[in-house]
Amino acid sequence: MATPPASTAEPLVKPGIYLIRMLVFLILVGFLAFVLFKQITPAFLANPGLNGLILGVLLIAVLLAFGQVLRLYRETGYVNAVATGATPAKAPSLLAHMAPVIKARREGRSLPGLRAFLDTTAARLDEGREILRYVAGLLILLGLLGTFWGLIDTLSAVGSVIRTMRGGGEAGAMFDELKNGLAVPLSGIGLAFSASLFGLGSSLIIGFLDLQAGQAHARFHNDLEDWLVSGEPEGTVVAPQIASQVPASAKELTEAVERLTAVVAEGANGRVATQAMTNLAEGIQGLVQHMRAEQQMIRDWVEAQASRERELKQVLDRLGRERA
């Protein structure tokens, strides 16, 4: 089969728009932090160790989120290079298993099991974002850890104040002593929740970045699927194959009938007539075989179409459940 001419259009769109969204969001977050710098600084200094750990985890998660989007540039460039007729050196790790399918699509062929290849690609994309989901939950847990830590310190300080109070004095003096003793732990109880503030804020940031990374992955997978499916043979392809076989069989049968008619008209001997009958029988048998082959091709095509519709329905159901 001849290789189709190279197309100048690139089937896959690069994920630049998602990187821009992520950068704009981080700039807005940085601007908000700059405006609230005076309020954030005391909260951070209330527990600098744990809050610093939360911000460190946040920085690592931001780099991972950008890495999940940036990695799509290699895969997109590889597929676009193949689609436009170039010969890339090696398939990237994400699409290494798809190399035979992409090559077959470039040559105008199709390989069985395309849906399995696409599902594997989707699973690999989703697996790469598992660490981001874990980090988002980890930031919330670190914030809760700081909250309980602060509550324990506050309650311990309150208990210490109560134990050091002197009994037997006047009520007013005892109340003033209690008030002065509780001033320090109660004034710091708001700062004890600073870890929750940083943890929840960081989780919100990672949640938005993970959302953008997921949209970039979905766009890449959908574009790849559309390009691969567009190269599969449609139902109309079966008709030319059948049309090319039926005339050949009919032609053979017509020739056999004409030879038998000429033999009968000429009054030829029995051996020639037998040979003509044999040719007619072979022609009929060939036509029957072709008809059976064509029926099998039609059944295979109908089953393939039904299987494709079932797979499409499963994908739509899965997307509906994920959105819900």
Side-chain angles (χ1 to χ4, degrees), residues 73-264:
Y73 275 91
R74 298 193 301 270
E75 282 73 14
T76 302
Y78 171 77
V79 176
N80 289 337
V82 174
T84 54
T87 54
K90 183 181 179 182
S93 58
L94 179 62
L95 295 179
H97 69 290
M98 294 284 292
V101 180
I102 295 174
K103 182 180 179 182
R105 169 64 177 85
R106 177 65 186 87
E107 296 174 352
R109 300 181 290 108
S110 62
L111 293 181
L114 176 59
R115 176 57 52 188
F117 284 102
L118 291 172
D119 290 342
T120 302
T121 303
R124 290 187 177 186
L125 289 171
D126 191 66
E127 181 182 359
R129 292 171 44 227
E130 288 293 335
I131 186 64
L132 287 178
R133 301 192 186 102
Y134 172 77
V135 170
L138 176 63
L139 290 171
I140 297 177
L141 292 178
L142 289 176
L144 292 176
L145 175 62
T147 299
F148 289 118
W149 187 354
L151 289 176
I152 291 174
D153 289 344
T154 301
L155 293 177
S156 299
V158 171
S160 177
V161 170
I162 294 176
R163 285 193 302 269
T164 56
M165 288 182 62
R166 292 170 297 177
E170 296 182 356
M174 292 180 61
F175 180 77
D176 291 338
E177 184 179 355
L178 178 62
K179 182 176 65 175
N180 294 330
L182 292 178
V184 175
L186 291 180
S187 63
I189 193 171
L191 297 179
F193 290 93
S194 62
S196 293
L197 173 66
F198 284 99
L200 292 176
S202 301
S203 179
L204 290 175
I205 295 173
I206 297 305
F208 180 82
L209 298 181
D210 179 51
L211 175 63
Q212 296 303 312
Q215 291 180 352
H217 288 177
R219 176 68 179 276
F220 168 80
H221 185 268
N222 292 337
D223 290 346
L224 178 62
E225 181 178 4
D226 292 342
W227 180 66
L228 291 176
V229 171
S230 64
E232 285 192 323
E234 300 294 337
T236 55
V237 177
V238 179
Q241 296 176 352
I242 297 176
S244 63
Q245 294 179 1
V246 172
S249 302
K251 184 178 179 181
E252 294 176 2
L253 183 60
T254 301
E255 292 177 353
V257 172
E258 290 177 352
R259 285 196 297 269
L260 179 60
T261 303
V263 168
V264 174

Side-chain angles (χ1 to χ4, degrees), residues 115 119 302-318:
R115 176 57 52 188
D119 290 342
V302 171
E303 292 176 358
Q305 290 291 97
S307 176
R308 190 177 305 168
E309 291 177 359
R310 288 194 299 269
E311 293 171 353
L312 180 59
K313 183 177 181 300
Q314 293 175 359
V315 172
L316 293 176
D317 293 341
R318 184 176 62 187

